[in-house]
Amino acid sequence: MTPVSTRLVRLLNMVPYFQANPRITRTEAAAELGVSPKQLEEDLNQLWMCGLPGYFPGDLIDFEFSGDTIEVTFSAGIDRPLKLTSPEATGLLVALRALADIPGVVDPEAARSAIAKIAAAAGTVGHDATAVDEPAPIENRAAAAVRTAVQYKHALSIDYYSASHDTLTSRIVDPIRVLLIGGQSYLEAWSREAEGVRLFRFDRIVDATELGEPAAPPAPALQAPPDTSLFDGDPALPSAKLRVGPSASWMFEYYPMRDVLELPDGSCEAVMTYASEDWMTRLVLGFGSAVQVLEPQSLAQRVRDAATAALESYQAVNA
């Protein structure tokens, strides 16, 4: 499974790339983009389904194929600077703030810089001083080492505290991906010692060192979806039933979901386990109207109240 962030960056760059390289062949494009011909074909099919709001055929990204060559005939504006509406900017800021506080997911400095730039572009500087003045969370050395090892696909040596055994162990692991489960971040990696995939909670990784060798988890481990059955089956943790719109479908690659039901309009209903209602509220708010809480009603009401308070605050500031 390709991490959604990696594929998203590639997709965003593909249209300008093909515009700058008209009539390039599939083989040449795949080689320069660092993907297989099959992955390139899947990316092109995905881009065909993207476009301007309304998503009518005439508004979607379009390509012309002549033999083995590719040329962009309509970019749907993806090659122009993005302009966010106030609600879109607010949702993005909420999501970035939530991610910046979770170790190992993003570079805190980069996240805070992005928050400040988005807030400034949206005209909220002065009304929301925390967007600019709030310092980035201090990322410990171990979390930073794990994050960069995942990004650059390097093997790791980690010292890990096991709460269940009250022991500190050292092991060599091959990182696969970072997961968010109930407001906690986990490293999913192949443990060479255990010869299996394991989840390591970031706040229990005492130390981590990148090794001078590439990560080499077995192919089946890379291709298999994350196994979060341990968390899904914990009756002590609350669960939320969500309706996830097509524009937010990427969250299935980052968050453990179960009982997924695809609906005729392209959306899905799914159940997600979480540990903190505060974190779950922030997560849902960050998706705007693309994610709706169906159950429990207490969480749905909390999200509505938070959204109403944010809207009233925004209207008061801009009155």
Side-chain angles (χ1 to χ4, degrees), residues 106-114 136-137:
V106 296
D107 182 341
E109 292 287 348
R112 290 300 172 188
S113 175

Side-chain angles (χ1 to χ4, degrees), residues 62-113:
D62 200 8
F63 297 91
E64 178 181 312
F65 300 99
S66 178
D68 193 41
T69 63
I70 306 168
E71 184 173 3
V72 177
T73 56
F74 183 65
S75 69
I78 200 172
D79 55 337
R80 297 195 298 270
L82 177 65
K83 294 183 179 179
L84 298 174
T85 65
S86 293
E88 289 171 339
T90 301
L92 187 56
L93 288 172
V94 170
L96 278 173
R97 288 191 179 109
L99 289 175
D101 292 331
I102 302 175
V105 179
V106 296
D107 182 341
E109 292 287 348
R112 290 300 172 188
S113 175

